[in-house]
Each structure stands twice: as structure tokens, then as C-alpha cells.
Amino acid sequence: MTRGLIAQEEPKSIWITMFIYLSIFINSFVFFKDPFEFYLGYLIFVLLLPRYISRYGFNASLMSVFGVLFVTGIFNILIGNDTPALFFKVFTGLFLSYIFYQYVLIDYEFDIQKLFKWYMIGCYVAALIGLVQFVSFQINFRPGYNFDWVFNKWGIAPGGVFGIRVNSVFSEPTYLASVLSAALFVSIYNLIRKETLYISKFQSIIIVLVYFLSFSGLGQLGIFLTIVFLTLNYGFVRYLLLIIPLVFIFFNTLYENVGEFRERYDGLVGLFQGQQFVLGKTHGSSFILFNNALVTIENFKTNFLFGSGLGSHPIAFAKYSLANEWKVFGFNNNSADANSMLLRLISETGLFGTLVFLFIVFKGYVRRDESNESHHWIISNALLVMILLNLFRQGHYFLNGFPFFVILYYYNYVSYTKWLAGEETDSDEGSAMEPDPATESSRPV
């Protein structure tokens, strides 16, 4: 299947496609770290953006949103809520990421199906590497499980039932769980429905297996959300009596057998119930998330409309953190990204940025309709799992190509509305899924 899809691409397009997806999957290697971390994806932006800008101009809607973020950011710098270095570092990366991946969709004529297939293939390759990593660890073949000879921002993640938490090409198991979460949804769908949508059953099994072997707390949430969305789309009442016991058994198994999961869960629940943090007893990651939530609440009280500016959460953290007086290392590690994109959005962009993002999430959702055979709902629900995981726990706005998936999610909805109107077909190849770039995406300003 992979070979067949590659054969359909123009020779030049093959390389462009590969580089675009490398920007999503390879973020465990940086060319340099000072004055900022320069990822492979940034190099791809530099190479392709000038061509895209000269060809397509700028999108009016994106420019409007980023125009507001720019003006409010400058204002926050002037009143001391933000600094030029923090603001422009985040604003530039976020702006370039969104316009770049917007151009990618235009360049590929809004072929949602093909772009999603390439993502699925990338996930399968990453899962295969993860499987090699797991087997190599069991047989003590170090070069096969320790990839620091390839990546300079990567580390082994010990733990789990088998002594290692698989992270494949990603720097942490959490990132594997985040990026592969949409592929997990499709894989579980394939196995339950006995289909081969985008990938084969064997490939689906590999993705599900490696996802589980990451032993990521975020990954467990991804599995739970997948079950919930599949249930909702196939009739919640019909499956309710079956799903609730399965979810309970799954949660109880994790709680009883995976110490990391149990400690994080107990710590987070306890803190939100009013328990005091006890060093050495309360899980550190749970406290970090709880602490950032309190910082966000306090910052929102005084900057509720437009936030305190992109990149400003560390300044708010310095004002409101419960750990400011502590001499213990580690509790300020996530002050830059709030340990959660939703918390960071609220803190840095206020109601404006948070509502814009949530509007995209709710507006772009496609639910399964039994009256048609469109596959738009599968892409929509799969990407929504990824988006929710990032909102909950990944604070970096544009790491691992997250803007690409947000844009793909929205234009999948646009494609669906056109399909309902009879303007498109929903073939596996997606050849007809092409909103008019001039009207849908590339209105120059």
C-alpha cells in the first residue's frame, strides 16, 4: 500500500511530501539549542515558505487572528506583562507554522484523504521503529533501543511493565502517544469493524501494540477518548452496558499494575480535593499541572480578555507559582508551556484566543451519519482525539506539527460540507476533495 501511494506522486512531490512529514515526526533532533532550539521542521519552513508565499499570498482569516495577537502582544510588552524575547520567539514560530501548513493544504489541492494517508503511513513506520526498540531492549541490543546515536534530543524512558516505555523516534513516550493518537483511533476502528481503512489490519495491530507499550498516562487517556468517540458515533445507549465495565476494568488494571499511572492519578485528584503537597509523597508531575492551573487562574483574573501575550506564561508563573520559595529542583520545568495547551491558551491569549480555538474544535467536528458512507467522520474524530490530548497535556503550540492537524481537522469539515452538497466524492484516493483555494483558503491580503 505504501509503495502504491508513493507511485502516485510526482517525483518532485515525493521529496517535498517526505520533508513535510519529517517536520512532524522528527523533533528529537536539533541543529543548535542557542539562542533557540532549531528543529528540522524549521529548516523545511525556510526552504519552502518563500516559494509558497510568492505563489499563494497570505490568508485573510489567519492574518486577522494573528494581527490581533500581535497588537495585544505588543501592548502587553509595553505594560510589562511580556518581554520582546519571549513574545517574538513564540509568535514567530506559531505564525510561520500555521501559514506553512495552510500552504501545504493548498499545494496538495486540499486532498484531505491523501494527506491523512501519509500521516497514517508515518505512524506505522514510527510504530515499527518502536517495536524494534522494545524487542532490542528485551535482548539487550543497545543500538536497537538507545537512539542517542541518531538523535541529540532523545532519551531512554525506563519504566512500564517490561522495563522500558517505548518512545520510538520521539524524545518522550508522551510525544509518541500524542502524535500517534489519531492513528490509534483509526487502527482500533479497523480492528473492531474488520476494515482496512488507510492501513492494513497488521499495520493497525502494530500501531495499537506500540501505543500500549509507551505506557504513557496521556496514551491511556487517548485510548479512553477513542473508545468514547467510537461509542458515541455508533450509538451510545446500545454499547453503554458493554463499554462501562470495559473502561472500569481497563482503568483498574492500569491503576493496580502501573505505578506511574497510579501515583499521578492519586496526586492530581488529591491536590484538586485540597490536600497539601508533600515532598516525596505527592507525584511531582501532578503538582506541576496543578500549580500551572492555579497560575493560569490568577493570570486570567487580571488579563481575561486577550491574555498577557504569547510567550508570557513564565512571567505569570514567577508571580503566582506556589513553588517560588522552594529550593527543590524540577517544579519550574514547565513554566514556559504551562504543562497544558489549554492552560497556556487561557493564560496567554485570554478569552479571545481560547474561544477562537474552541470555535474551530466545535465547528469543525463531523459526526457519523448512518445515512451516508462518508469517511470524513473518522478523520474528524481521530484528529479530535489528538487535539484534546494536546489541549490537556502538551503545552507547546507548534511542536510535532500540531498546527498541521488543526488545519487538516478544519478543512476536513469544509470538505464534508461540500460532499453533502454533492460537490465532492469520498473515494479512498480523495481525488475530488479539493475546495477551491481561491475561495476557501488563499484569499490574499
Side-chain angles (χ1 to χ4, degrees):
M1 176 181 174
T2 304
R3 194 178 304 144
L5 183 58
I6 292 175
Q8 297 168 24
E9 300 285 338
E10 294 292 331
K12 182 179 180 181
S13 182
I14 292 174
W15 292 105
I16 293 177
T17 302
M18 288 180 62
F19 281 124
I20 288 169
Y21 281 87
L22 282 174
S23 74
I24 295 171
F25 285 92
I26 306 299
N27 283 284
S28 52
F29 178 85
V30 292
F31 289 98
F32 54 81
K33 296 185 177 181
D34 292 314
F36 62 92
E37 293 182 331
F38 192 89
Y39 294 94
L40 176 63
Y42 297 174
L43 177 62
I44 296 168
F45 290 179
V46 170
L47 294 175
L48 294 181
L49 264 176
R51 167 179 172 262
Y52 282 155
I53 293 174
S54 64
R55 188 183 233 180
Y56 303 119
F58 290 99
N59 175 269
S61 298
L62 278 178
M63 292 301 293
S64 299
V65 172
F66 279 99
V68 173
L69 293 175
F70 181 82
V71 171
T72 56
I74 296 299
F75 175 76
N76 276 298
I77 291 173
L78 294 176
I79 63 175
N81 285 339
D82 209 343
T83 67
L86 288 173
F87 172 74
F88 284 106
K89 175 183 176 180
V90 176
F91 178 86
T92 303
L94 189 62
F95 176 66
L96 292 180
S97 295
Y98 270 95
I99 65 169
F100 175 77
Y101 290 117
Q102 173 85 10
Y103 289 141
V104 168
L105 263 76
I106 300 172
D107 204 28
Y108 286 77
E109 300 179 308
F110 297 91
D111 198 336
I112 308 298
Q113 296 277 4
K114 183 176 288 186
L115 288 169
F116 193 77
K117 278 185 178 180
W118 275 105
Y119 157 75
M120 292 295 298
I121 292 169
C123 288
Y124 171 62
V125 172
L128 277 181
I129 295 172
L131 189 60
V132 170
Q133 180 189 22
F134 175 77
V135 173
S136 296
F137 182 82
Q138 303 309 313
I139 63 175
N140 199 29
F141 178 59
R142 184 176 177 82
Y145 70 82
N146 188 334
F147 299 147
D148 59 7
W149 57 278
V150 180
F151 306 115
N152 59 5
K153 192 182 179 184
W154 187 97
I156 296 175
V161 177
F162 302 102
I164 187 172
R165 299 168 59 210
V166 170
N167 56 333
S168 183
V169 297
F170 303 96
S171 57
E172 300 176 14
T174 298
Y175 293 141
L176 181 148
S178 174
V179 176
L180 268 61
S181 56
L184 173 79
F185 181 95
V186 177
S187 298
I188 291 179
Y189 168 84
N190 281 342
L191 297 175
I192 292 176
R193 303 294 297 179
K194 298 180 180 180
E195 293 194 26
T196 56
L197 189 62
Y198 305 115
I199 55 175
S200 68
K201 291 179 183 178
F202 174 78
Q203 292 169 330
S204 297
I205 291 171
I206 296 298
I207 289 175
V208 172
L209 175 61
V210 170
Y211 199 87
F212 175 78
L213 290 174
S214 71
F215 292 102
S216 165
L218 191 69
Q220 314 315 317
L221 179 59
I223 295 172
F224 174 75
L225 290 175
T226 293
I227 294 172
V228 168
F229 285 132
L230 283 173
T231 302
L232 288 173
N233 279 278
Y234 277 98
F236 187 79
V237 176
R238 190 192 320 170
Y239 292 97
L240 184 61
L241 295 178
L242 174 63
I243 292 300
I244 290 180
L246 288 177
V247 170
F248 177 79
I249 292 171
F250 178 71
F251 174 84
N252 190 64
T253 300
L254 285 173
Y255 188 85
E256 295 296 335
N257 295 285
V258 182
E260 180 76 7
F261 176 82
R262 180 174 60 253
E263 292 170 7
R264 289 189 182 213
Y265 176 81
D266 287 344
L268 196 59
V269 171
L271 288 167
F272 277 102
Q273 288 179 342
Q275 294 179 9
Q276 295 294 315
F277 174 81
V278 179
L279 188 63
K281 183 177 180 181
T282 307
H283 196 280
S285 295
S286 300
F287 175 77
I288 290 171
L289 182 60
F290 174 76
N291 190 29
N292 274 288
L294 293 185
V295 170
T296 297
I297 291 170
E298 293 301 317
N299 196 37
F300 181 75
K301 289 178 181 178
T302 54
N303 304 282
F304 67 92
L305 192 56
F306 293 103
S308 52
L310 288 173
S312 65
H313 189 75
I315 297 176
F317 192 92
K319 292 180 183 178
Y320 304 117
S321 172
L322 298 176
N324 280 337
E325 304 300 323
W326 296 359
K327 303 299 182 181
V328 181
F329 174 79
F331 291 104
N332 296 331
N333 285 353
N334 293 95
S335 63
D337 63 13
N339 206 224
S340 160
M341 194 180 299
L342 179 60
L343 293 180
R344 190 176 183 185
L345 274 172
I346 296 171
S347 178
E348 296 185 351
T349 69
L351 283 175
F352 171 76
T354 305
L355 291 178
V356 167
F357 194 88
L358 292 180
F359 172 79
I360 294 172
V361 170
F362 285 102
K363 178 70 173 177
Y365 181 66
V366 178
R367 186 170 180 173
R368 178 176 174 265
D369 187 344
E370 293 184 4
S371 64
N372 63 59
E373 298 179 356
S374 168
H375 288 152
H376 291 87
W377 77 269
I378 295 175
I379 295 178
S380 181
N381 283 264
L383 292 176
L384 182 57
V385 171
M386 179 190 290
I387 289 170
L388 291 178
L389 291 185
N390 278 270
L391 282 176
F392 175 68
R393 205 57 205 276
Q394 297 296 328
H396 199 297
Y397 289 127
F398 46 91
L399 189 65
N400 296 315
F402 181 69
F404 170 72
F405 297 105
V406 175
I407 293 172
L408 195 64
Y409 175 82
Y410 173 74
Y411 279 105
N412 177 66
Y413 162 77
V414 172
S415 175
Y416 180 63
T417 59
K418 287 181 172 290
W419 184 86
L420 288 177
E423 298 176 29
E424 297 179 357
T425 61
D426 190 30
S427 67
D428 284 347
E429 297 306 323
S431 59
M433 303 178 69
E434 302 172 359
D436 181 2
T439 59
E440 296 294 342
S441 177
S442 57
R443 296 186 294 272
V445 295

